[in-house]
Amino acid sequence: MTLVLRDVSVLRHVLQRPPKEDEKFEELCQHATRVTETTCQSFDEGLTHLARNDVYVIAAGSCLISWKYFEPIKRDLPELLAFKDSIVSEARRIVGDLRRRWNTTLVGMHVRRDDHTGFMAYWKGHKPVTPDYLHRAMTYFRVLLGSVHFVVASDEREWCRQRLTQGVDDVTILTPRSAEMDMAVLSLTDHMIISVGTFGWWAGYLNPGVKTYMQDFVVPGSEFSGVFKSVSARDYFYPGWIPL
């Protein structure tokens, strides 16, 4: 089947092999069958059994973020989702400089705060990453590896500076560049500390090493907490990722 999107301008800028953009998108959609996940951020096996000769529109509200969607093609993902050479070469330069400077294992850390700290985000159930979790994860890797250096990408760098760098010399907060550069750098580190959200999820999924995630990342009793009950949570977090 061929994936067709309405607008691939961002992906064309970022990916080596962006999806197809079709001028007849609107016409195709008029005759399409609309499909959606049963529950966002869970695995819907029905979406993996679509008839190949039909046209489908993935309806709004579908996240397609379960690892189970991608497991059958996991070996192909590095090629399918490859960043442009210019992005990869710069990310490798950044990571290479860090390796030469610190001469130790690098642990990427994604800290998403900005859009998860407001009232509406909390009301829906999105809980921002906490310093307690980040320090637990850092301690976990310090004990596991002995020598380690943390590479932090965040939308609130000053917040990270105040809470993660005091009294230690094993943390580097990346200079702001672009979202794709942050993800490329994080994917090239040895291990990964995931905070919250899909950006960190994908950075972790593309990273080859050990991953930790914040286990209490939803507000209890909220709308969002209902999404991650039992089966859905197992659909979302990859087996072997470590809850802390």
Side-chain angles (χ1 to χ4, degrees), residues 22-75:
D22 199 310
E23 295 178 355
K24 298 181 179 180
F25 186 90
E26 298 296 340
E27 181 181 335
L28 287 171
C29 291
Q30 290 178 8
H31 308 287
T33 300
R34 296 176 64 83
V35 293
T36 187
E37 289 177 298
T38 305
T39 304
C40 184
Q41 284 150 325
S42 65
F43 176 65
D44 187 340
E45 188 174 1
L47 295 185
T48 67
H49 300 291
L50 302 177
R52 292 178 178 270
N53 58 337
D54 289 338
V55 177
Y56 299 90
V57 171
I58 304 297
S62 295
C63 299
L64 302 177
I65 200 67
S66 170
W67 61 272
K68 293 182 179 179
Y69 289 122
F70 311 107
E71 193 66 8
I73 58 167
K74 188 174 183 179
R75 291 184 178 181

